[in-house]
Amino acid sequence: LLGGLAMATILSKKTKQDPEIYSEFLIWAMISAIIGARLYYVAFSWADYKDNLLEIFNLRQGGLAIYGGVFMACVALLLFAKRKKLNFWILADTGSVGIFVGQILGRMGNFFNKEAFGGYSDGWFAMAIKRSEMKYVPQVLKDKVSLVNGVEYIQVHPMFLYEIVWNILAMTFVLFYFKKRRFNGEIFALYFLCYGLGRMWMETMRTDQLLIGSTDIPVSVVVSIILVIISATFIIINRIRANRLGIPYPQAVIESMVVADESDSTESAATDSKVVDEAVLEPDDVVEQASSKDLLAKDESADEKESTDTDDSDEIK
């Protein structure tokens, strides 16, 4: 959380936002993310909790899902932006980069807890875990136990390491892309696109998947596919719109994306409209407008001179 806040603060200063906004939202994010992550996990592991509902509140036994936390934090951000009369999309763009930092640091917790690992591996990146330290040993790994100096070990794929590396690469790409954004909400969508692409294939290697009902379909794979499709469509459509309007990067003002509160004043609305109008103009259009104004001024001057000459001629006659 603190790592994500630090990244959001840095970006907010670079984009001339008030960094205190993100510090204020931190408590909202923390509470909503924990609730959302727990509810998401319980919903897809209901068989483990239906006979003992009090266990739902026992967070020390694990059971938090990142997607649920992110989704609930987005709802909290929407309410926060509405209450503070701020643009949700701008806040989401800045905060989504911070989520990468939070996930990179958070996945290290999986290493210390000996959890969220993959199937058996004897490759270069294989990690040997003492069987006695594993909270859960899936059936597919029980036959892969090796004995070293009287201690049982199981070699597995370090999925948390794979996700850390993926998130670092994705965050680096998003930071470079940040300056080339064309509309508010693009970085927010890009986060879901990048993370979804990675989680889509990494989830298939994990041994502690949340499944849909009685099927063998991992929930996170389905959610990732949906997010990738929605995010890609969202970016493509709004990029086309930005090109049609002629808005150059990093101008991030698209009229249809701005969340306008009903209580906004007429003066504020007029200012927003002016910003959009100016953003649409290309350099050639500006030159053409300037030339037109000069020609109009010259025509008016010529007409005035001609009128003066005519008056002088009449007086002489």
Side-chain angles (χ1 to χ4, degrees):
L1 285 170
L2 294 178
L5 176 62
M7 175 60 75
T9 300
I10 293 173
L11 289 178
S12 65
K13 291 180 179 179
K14 288 183 176 295
T15 52
K16 298 180 180 180
Q17 301 179 59
D18 181 7
E20 291 299 322
I21 294 174
Y22 298 92
S23 298
E24 185 177 351
F25 178 67
L26 180 64
I27 188 66
W28 291 55
M30 180 175 65
I31 296 175
S32 60
I34 293 176
I35 294 175
R38 184 59 171 173
L39 291 178
Y40 185 98
Y41 184 88
V42 171
F44 293 104
S45 304
W46 183 242
D48 299 332
Y49 298 96
K50 63 179 182 179
D51 296 328
N52 189 0
L53 298 181
L54 292 179
E55 279 297 309
I56 295 176
F57 304 98
N58 187 10
L59 300 181
R60 293 182 58 82
Q61 294 299 317
L64 299 174
I66 182 64
Y67 270 140
V70 173
F71 293 157
M72 188 63 78
C74 288
V75 174
L77 181 60
L78 186 63
L79 297 175
F80 178 81
K82 186 70 175 177
R83 179 177 179 179
K84 299 293 183 179
K85 298 182 181 179
L86 299 171
N87 188 303
F88 166 80
W89 299 107
I90 294 177
L91 297 178
D93 280 344
T94 307
S96 58
V97 185
I99 297 177
F100 275 126
V101 178
Q103 288 180 270
I104 291 169
L105 298 175
R107 284 302 176 191
M108 295 180 183
N110 296 140
F111 168 75
F112 294 112
N113 288 339
K114 305 296 187 298
E115 61 188 7
F117 46 80
Y120 175 78
S121 173
D122 57 358
W124 288 359
F125 299 105
M127 182 183 70
I129 304 177
K130 292 182 180 180
R131 182 174 179 178
S132 60
E133 295 180 353
M134 300 174 69
K135 295 181 180 180
Y136 167 70
V137 181
Q139 187 64 39
V140 294
L141 293 178
K142 289 181 178 180
D143 298 332
K144 302 295 183 179
V145 177
S146 59
L147 195 64
V148 180
N149 296 328
V151 180
E152 292 184 330
Y153 287 90
I154 299 178
Q155 291 189 177
V156 296
H157 280 286
M159 297 310 303
F160 46 83
L161 175 62
Y162 298 164
E163 185 165 329
I164 288 174
V165 173
W166 178 269
N167 285 335
I168 290 175
L169 295 175
M171 183 180 67
T172 302
F173 168 72
V174 170
L175 286 173
F176 276 108
Y177 190 92
F178 199 89
K179 294 181 179 180
K180 297 183 180 295
R181 65 195 185 282
R182 299 291 296 277
F183 60 91
N184 294 332
E186 185 171 11
I187 301 300
F188 180 57
L190 194 61
Y191 160 76
F192 283 115
L193 177 61
C194 291
Y195 181 69
L197 286 173
R199 187 63 184 268
M200 193 186 304
W201 64 268
M202 286 186 287
E203 186 68 16
T204 60
M205 300 173 64
R206 288 179 58 166
T207 58
D208 58 345
Q209 303 163 335
L210 294 177
L211 304 177
I212 299 178
S214 58
T215 69
D216 293 329
I217 303 174
V219 177
S220 292
V221 172
V222 176
V223 173
S224 296
I225 292 174
I226 294 174
L227 288 175
V228 167
I229 294 174
I230 294 176
S231 300
T233 303
F234 180 80
I235 292 174
I236 291 172
I237 291 176
N238 284 284
R239 274 256 165 184
I240 293 174
R241 175 177 170 79
N243 290 333
R244 187 172 67 249
L245 293 176
I247 300 178
Y249 77 85
Q251 175 63 44
V253 179
I254 288 187
E255 193 172 8
S256 63
M257 298 293 296
V258 176
V259 180
D261 192 275
E262 294 180 358
S263 61
D264 289 345
S265 64
T266 305
E267 181 181 354
S268 177
T271 302
D272 291 341
S273 178
K274 181 181 179 181
V275 171
V276 174
D277 292 341
E278 291 177 352
V280 173
L281 293 178
E282 294 289 344
D284 292 341
D285 296 331
V286 175
V287 173
E288 184 178 348
Q289 282 194 356
S291 300
S292 299
K293 290 180 179 179
D294 291 342
L295 291 174
L296 181 60
K298 289 180 180 179
D299 290 343
E300 291 178 352
S301 178
D303 292 342
E304 183 178 352
K305 182 178 181 181
E306 182 179 352
S307 176
T308 302
D309 291 344
T310 301
D311 294 341
D312 292 343
S313 177
D314 288 344
E315 289 180 2
I316 292 173
K317 288 181 181 181

